[in-house]
DNA sequence: ACTTCCTTGTGAACGTTTTCACATATAGCT
DNA sequence: AGCTATATGTGAAAACGTTCACAAGGAAGT
């Protein structure tokens, strides 16, 4: 690491941060919120690790990629560390999210409080079912997916969440990319193609069930689940 | 690897299989189902890799942990490989699943077709809201969570899915473990404590959104997402 | 039967991530 | 001011996972 990592919470040295580290930041954030509510002023890497089933060394190493936030002999200041991590993750702001597919999963996501709590505001709903288009779902009028191009731009959407059937997911995603969206969270159980400059993440809910099935059948040696 | 790995699809040599490998098996399974529908008899590691954005070497290595399923010069037989992987993952059978918490997420999961398609049958619903208990949700009567002990045993439940609020998740999970369930999929955004002999997996849906946020804010170098 | 082409299966090399271990720094107490 | 206890930050080592590269096996055609 050439340049210094000051305490600004920015990864100024251009070292690649691993996916796992970023996922763990989410865990730290969650634990810190609880600690803050419980009234703790500071927390050690040991305690933080314990609360998320990690190791103290892992916690310190992860944080060290972004700066030095702690005080030797004392630990980390709960409130400011939480703010710093929120800053690193970019959720110290509001993100405007559009949801595609107001079916079972989609509807559940609209009401999912954890999203809004983390700053993700679902402010547009799209579907291609004529019976749904135009109707009001939890205060949001469902739009026709065919109009996404104008409506996404108008609403200044940052992130698209895709909860449409696997059969149409690729078409929808093609359009989303054409509309200039650079971040997509996909719930359809299919591998989607997107241009290189678009971030795509998949949420595959049967995968974890399948893991459980495998573990049960094979008496798979337990290990702390990655992330 | 001491003993031979025959083509039974079992990991007979007790080498630890990584979490990532198991997750990729889910992907192979998915791709193979599509290939089968498309009428392919065989598939190469190259093609399989392409369909799930992996490398051919990775595909071959993953499969080699469990046996040799392919024919040199030809590739893998689609139908039988699909069956073999289903066998390895333990989803060539029906799993009986109970769902706890019939709220937004819970209701969506009950109707989530992908679960049943993979052999996970949600046959019991539990809640602790008196207004919900006794009512019929998609053909299943919602039970009182206080009666879980008898009802889980009676229905021979294998896996519990937890979709209750974070505030009560630990209590519910304590009871689930006491009732003898050995596999739990948790949707509550909290780190749960379970005995060593219970498999616990977490589905944290905001985590991936937070990753997208991080990527957007930091122009994070793209890399094929792990899993 | 022989040749050519293709693709698997796998040790070994490589790269990445995690863990270790310790020098260093600070708090708090006497 | 000095001492002790505590906890960070970080190079180095270890563990782990991925990719390479190639020998070996089989298909298909001549």
């Amino acid at each position: 690491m050439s340049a210094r990592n000051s305490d600004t919470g920015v990864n100024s040295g251009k070292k690649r941060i691993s996916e796992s580290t970023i996922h763990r930041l989410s865990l730290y954030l969650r634990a810190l919120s609880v600690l803050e509510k419980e009234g703790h002023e500071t927390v050690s890497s040991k305690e933080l690790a314990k609360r998320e089933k990690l190791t103290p060394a892992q916690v310190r190493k992860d944080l060290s990629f972004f700066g030095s936030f702690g005080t030797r002999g004392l630990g980390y200041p709960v409130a400011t560390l939480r703010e710093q991590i929120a800053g690193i993750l970019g959720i110290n702001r509001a993100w405007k999210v559009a949801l595609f597919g107001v079916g079972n999963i989609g509807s559940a996501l609209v009401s999912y409080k954890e999203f809004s709590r983390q700053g993700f505001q679902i402010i547009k709903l799209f579907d291609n079912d004529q019976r749904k288009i135009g109707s009001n779902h939890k205060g949001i009028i469902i739009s026709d997916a065919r109009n996404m191009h104008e409506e996404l731009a108008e609403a200044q959407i940052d992130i698209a969440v895709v909860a449409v059937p696997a059969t149409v997911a690729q078409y929808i995603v093609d359009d989303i990319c054409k509309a200039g969206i650079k971040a997509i969270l996909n719930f359809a159980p299919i591998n989607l193609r997107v241009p290189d400059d678009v971030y795509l993440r998949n949420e595959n809910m049967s995968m974890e069930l399948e893991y459980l099935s495998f573990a049960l059948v094979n008496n798979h040696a337990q290990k702390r689940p990655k992330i």
Side-chain angles (χ1 to χ4, degrees), chain A:
Chain A
M1 204 170 308
S2 54
R4 78 213 187 81
N5 263 357
S6 68
D7 56 4
T8 54
V10 202
N11 172 227
S12 23
K14 268 289 158 239
K15 194 174 191 319
R16 221 201 102 86
I17 304 296
S18 83
E19 194 169 317
S20 306
T21 292
I22 296 163
H23 278 150
R24 282 191 298 267
L25 290 185
S26 295
L27 299 183
Y28 303 147
L29 196 58
R30 185 170 85 175
L32 288 164
S33 301
V34 175
L35 284 158
E36 201 172 0
K37 269 201 207 86
E38 290 176 3
H40 295 81
E41 301 256 302
T42 59
V43 63
S44 65
S45 59
K46 194 174 161 195
E47 172 66 19
L48 203 43
K50 192 179 131 220
R51 296 209 175 205
E52 294 295 342
K53 278 198 208 107
L54 302 165
T55 64
Q58 179 103 77
V59 172
R60 295 200 298 275
K61 185 64 101 178
D62 282 340
L63 295 177
S64 78
F65 292 135
F66 302 97
S68 13
F69 306 104
T71 305
R72 293 174 192 217
L74 190 60
Y76 300 94
V78 171
T80 58
L81 183 57
R82 193 188 53 65
E83 285 159 26
Q84 299 274 13
I85 294 180
I88 294 165
L89 288 175
I91 59 174
N92 54 351
R93 49 160 284 179
W95 288 101
K96 294 184 182 173
V97 178
L99 176 87
F100 293 81
V102 192
N104 288 315
I105 303 288
S107 315
L109 296 178
V110 177
S111 328
Y112 189 53
K113 291 291 181 305
E114 197 63 16
F115 283 172
S116 44
R117 203 173 294 138
Q118 305 296 334
F120 300 101
Q121 309 175 329
I122 299 180
I123 58 171
K124 291 291 289 183
L125 302 180
F126 292 95
D127 208 300
N128 55 15
D129 182 341
Q130 288 304 325
R131 286 165 301 182
K132 290 178 186 168
I133 293 167
S135 71
N136 184 317
H137 187 274
K138 314 245 177 168
I140 308 175
I141 306 292
I142 301 177
S143 301
D144 190 330
R146 284 174 297 187
N147 303 330
M148 72 167 82
H149 205 301
E150 308 81 64
E151 300 201 27
L152 287 173
E154 198 190 339
Q156 300 187 57
I157 296 296
D158 305 296
I159 300 173
V161 172
V162 174
V164 303
T167 44
V168 298
Q170 185 65 61
Y171 305 115
I172 294 282
V173 165
D174 287 344
D175 287 347
I176 291 171
C177 294
K178 279 197 201 99
I181 301 292
K182 297 298 180 206
I184 300 174
L185 178 60
N186 169 46
F187 281 83
I190 186 183
N191 181 38
L192 296 166
R193 275 166 288 106
V194 294
D196 280 350
D197 64 336
V198 174
Y199 296 106
L200 170 69
R201 304 293 301 180
N202 296 296
E203 198 76 67
N204 188 334
M205 298 190 294
S206 12
M207 209 175 236
E208 293 297 341
L209 268 183
E210 287 168 19
Y211 189 98
L212 285 175
S213 168
F214 174 83
L216 286 172
V217 168
N218 297 276
N219 271 291
H220 196 236
Q222 286 266 36
K223 211 191 155 184
R224 157 169 24 83
K226 190 163 285 179
I227 305 142

